[in-house]
Each structure stands twice: as structure tokens, then as C-alpha cells.
């Protein structure tokens, strides 16, 4: 089932699978902004909870007991309960027998969508409904169509940062033969390059100052996305040619080293106490 919000500027359609955006359409320009999962990568814009990526061993331990989840956790594979309201769309999900086998905590998960002019606001609320501390991390994985027109090239797009950045880039070995390192980078823009993504596997920046980034075509702004409050930003596309770029704000990251079996010890792990809530969100603006 689809849920829709619309005004004179944009059309937003969301679905119960993962509580994801199916369409964010710029009515003024007649352009779909969101990748449709119809090429080499079948994802669209999953939210990542309670794990980003996976552990090196594909399993993990909680209080000495071993569990395992699929890549990026639980929500991207779940069917959420949708509610169409007058000015918002709300999706909710509660733990169940299946999730408890993978992640032994009770929780409430919620996504709320609203639109204002040409801006889509996406807000998240996670509540620990267990009677013990709940470890988790959280991230976003929206994919945008690039190029937007057949006469444009992927390489003529850039991701422009709000600020001149002096940040850290996380370097990792996908085969776990080397320890992760951080290299200093200075940049105000990254020109889209499949070669860069292939080389680094995923471009991951830490300690950015910018509150938002802008996806531009030859210096023409097309999409602005907020990243405020997220410690990491990942940029990714699949190795096989496909017309999309993922701009991913994260609170943590996958394991890039072996030997980390305790879920509580993973970098970026946050703790929610019983009945405590975690709130975050971001925006996507059609320009």
C-alpha cells in the first residue's frame, strides 16, 4: 500500500516495505529524484537499524550469546505499519518473535514524513521498551537518480559541502587484512567518480562541519540534503554502472576489522536506557 503527500511543488509517495520513499517528484521540473531500485542495486533508501553494515564475522554477541542479522539490520527488510494523516505519513514497527531471534531487545521504531514547499522532512524516533540497556546504531541510505537527464553525465555531478572541510576519511580493507586508518582531507566539493568509489569501496568522512550537502550538475544545485548531527557521511554507488549516488549520514559504521564480537564494543554504538528515546532526522530539498 502507498501513502501520499502532495503540494503544488512536490509529490511524495512512501510504502510500508521498510517505510521507504517510493517517489519524491519535483513537479516544477517534472523530475523524479529518488532512485527506483531498478538497476544493479535493488535498494532505494533504507534506514539502517540497529546495525550499519555488518560485523566482520556476520554475527555478534550480547551477554555471551551469539546472534546474527542481515546487512544493515532489521528495518530495511520489515513491513511497517503505515498511517496516512492529513499533513504527514507515519510508519511504526515493534519488535516481534522474528526480530528477537536476531536482536534480543524490545523496541518501538517510528518514521514520520512531512513536506513543506519543496522540502521533505523525515524524522525518526526509536524507543527502548526493554527492561535493560539497548545497544544500537543508526544510519540512512538514500539513493538519488544521477544523471537526471539522458543528455547529462554522471561525472558532471558533484556533492558540494556547505563549509570548507578539513575532515578525516576512513580507509579500510574490505578483506580485513589491514587495520582501518584515517587520512586528513581538505575539500569543499567531491566530483562524482565511480573510480573513486571503486578504489575506496565506500567513501566515508568523519567530523564534517557542514550541516548540509548539495548535489549539483555543473554547479547547478539540484538536491540539498541535511546531515546535521551525524558523525559520519558515506558516499557510494555500485561498481556496475547504475544511475544513482547514495548520500548516507551515519552514527556508526560496519566493522572494518576482525575481533570485535561484543556488540557493545563496536565503534559508534549508542545506548538507550529502558523507556529512553532516540530522535534524529534529515531533510531532502528539491532545488
Amino acid at each position: 500500500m502507498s501513502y501520499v503527500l502532495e503540494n503544488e511543488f512536490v509529490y511524495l509517495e512512501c510504502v510500508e516495505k521498510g517505510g521507504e520513499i517510493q517517489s519524491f517528484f519535483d513537479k516544477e521540473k517534472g523530475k523524479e529524484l529518488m532512485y527506483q531500485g531498478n538497476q544493479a542495486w535493488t535498494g532505494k533508501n533504507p534506514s539502517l537499524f540497529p546495525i550499519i553494515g555488518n560485523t566482520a564475522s556476520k554475527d555478534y554477541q550480547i551477554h555471551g550469546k551469539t546472534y546474527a542479522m542481515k546487512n544493515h539490520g532489521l528495518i530495511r527488510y520489515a513491513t511497517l505499519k503505515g498511517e496516512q494523516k492529513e499533513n504527514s505519513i507515519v510508519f511504526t514497527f515493534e519488535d516481534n518473535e522474528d526480530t528477537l531471534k536476531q536482536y534480543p531487545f524490545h523496541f518501538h521504531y517510528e518514521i514520520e514524513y512531512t513536506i513543506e514547499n519543496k522540502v521533505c522532512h523525515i524524522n525518526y524516533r526509536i524507543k527502548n521498551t526493554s527492561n535493560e540497556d539497548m545497544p544500537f546504531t543508526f544510519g540512512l541510505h538514500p539513493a538519488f537518480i544521477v544523471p537526471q537527464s539522458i543528455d547529462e553525465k554522471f561525472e558532471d555531478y558533484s556533492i558540494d559541502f556547505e563549509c570548507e572541510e578539513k575532515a578525516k576519511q576512513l580507509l579500510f580493507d574490505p578483506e580485513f587484512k589491514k587495520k582501518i586508518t584515517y587520512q586528513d582531507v581538505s575539500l569543499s566539493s567531491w566530483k562524482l567518480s565511480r573510480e573513486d568509489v571503486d578504489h575506496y569501496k565506500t567513501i566515508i568522512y568523519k567530523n564534517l562541519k557542514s550541516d548540509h550537502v548539495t548535489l549539483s550538475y555543473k554547479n547547478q544545485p539540484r538536491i540539498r540534503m541535511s546531515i546535521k548531527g551525524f558523525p559520519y557521511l558515506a558516499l557510494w554507488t555500485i561498481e556496475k554502472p547504475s544511475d544513482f549516488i547514495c548520500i548516507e549520514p551515519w552514527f556508526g559504521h560496519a566493522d572494518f576489522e576482525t575481533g570485535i564480537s561484543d556488540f557493545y564494543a563496536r565503534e559508534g554504538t549508542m545506548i538507550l536506557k529502558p523507556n529512553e528515546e532516540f530522535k534524529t532526522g534529515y531533510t531532502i530539498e528539491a532545488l
Side-chain angles (χ1 to χ4, degrees):
M1 180 175 176
S2 294
Y3 301 80
V4 171
L5 295 174
E6 186 173 9
N7 61 24
E8 61 183 303
F9 305 109
V10 295
Y11 169 91
L12 174 71
E13 180 181 352
C14 302
V15 295
E16 294 173 326
K17 173 67 167 61
E20 294 185 10
I21 300 173
Q22 176 67 37
S23 173
F24 187 47
F25 189 83
D26 185 337
K27 294 167 67 174
E28 288 190 317
K29 294 184 177 178
K31 292 185 181 296
E32 175 62 57
L33 304 182
M34 308 303 296
Y35 170 67
Q36 297 296 295
N38 56 350
Q39 297 178 334
W41 182 54
T42 58
K44 295 177 184 175
N45 46 87
S47 50
L48 318 180
F49 168 84
I51 192 172
I52 296 169
N54 213 321
T55 64
S57 61
K58 308 301 182 187
D59 58 23
Y60 64 94
Q61 292 186 346
I62 295 285
H63 304 320
K65 187 174 179 179
T66 300
Y67 300 88
M69 285 181 278
K70 293 181 181 179
N71 199 47
H72 293 318
L74 302 172
I75 299 300
R76 69 174 300 191
Y77 306 101
T79 299
L80 279 62
K81 179 182 178 181
E83 182 180 2
Q84 180 81 57
K85 299 186 177 183
E86 183 179 0
N87 297 310
S88 67
I89 301 166
V90 177
F91 292 100
T92 56
F93 184 79
E94 313 287 340
D95 63 274
N96 55 47
E97 183 177 338
D98 182 56
T99 67
L100 289 168
K101 293 176 182 176
Q102 304 171 68
Y103 178 67
F105 298 96
H106 299 288
F107 62 87
H108 170 84
Y109 186 94
E110 186 173 305
I111 311 173
E112 181 185 43
Y113 293 94
T114 58
I115 57 173
E116 180 183 13
N117 297 324
K118 300 190 76 173
V119 182
C120 176
H121 298 263
I122 309 106
N123 291 304
Y124 299 84
R125 183 170 70 92
I126 300 166
K127 183 176 182 179
N128 177 10
T129 55
S130 298
N131 59 6
E132 61 178 317
D133 289 356
M134 184 177 83
F136 74 103
T137 192
F138 179 81
L140 306 168
H141 203 313
F144 302 100
I145 293 175
V146 175
Q148 293 180 345
S149 302
I150 59 174
D151 58 341
E152 298 174 351
K153 294 181 180 179
F154 183 90
E155 295 77 13
D156 287 333
Y157 279 76
S158 63
I159 293 173
D160 306 320
F161 296 88
E162 176 194 17
C163 304
E164 288 280 345
E165 296 287 356
K166 293 186 181 297
K168 301 284 187 181
Q169 183 178 352
L170 189 156
L171 306 179
F172 64 94
D173 178 2
E175 297 183 358
F176 304 102
K177 295 178 180 178
K178 300 177 182 178
K179 289 186 175 294
I180 62 171
T181 59
Y182 286 93
Q183 71 174 8
D184 294 326
V185 292
S186 298
L187 73 166
S188 60
S189 181
W190 175 68
K191 190 172 183 180
L192 268 59
S193 166
R194 290 190 177 94
E195 289 75 16
D196 282 358
V197 176
D198 183 57
H199 176 73
Y200 293 113
K201 304 310 174 187
T202 303
I203 297 171
I204 304 172
Y205 296 121
K206 185 179 182 180
N207 298 336
L208 295 170
K209 296 181 298 181
S210 298
D211 287 344
H212 66 258
V213 294
T214 302
L215 180 64
S216 302
Y217 170 72
K218 291 185 175 181
N219 298 318
Q220 303 171 15
R222 296 290 180 81
I223 298 169
R224 181 175 294 122
M225 184 176 133
S226 64
I227 59 172
K228 185 176 181 179
F230 290 84
Y232 297 89
L233 180 69
L235 307 174
W236 178 80
T237 190
I238 204 161
E239 296 87 350
K240 300 174 183 178
S242 291
D243 298 329
F244 73 88
I245 186 70
C246 289
I247 305 174
E248 308 177 41
W250 294 345
F251 278 91
H253 56 74
D255 285 355
F256 297 127
E257 296 178 349
T258 58
I260 309 171
S261 59
D262 187 344
F263 197 87
Y264 289 86
R266 302 178 69 248
E267 184 174 17
T269 295
M270 300 178 285
I271 303 293
L272 273 181
K273 295 184 178 302
N275 295 313
E276 191 175 23
E277 293 185 354
F278 168 81
K279 295 180 180 180
T280 190
Y282 75 118
T283 60
I284 301 170
E285 180 178 4
L287 299 174

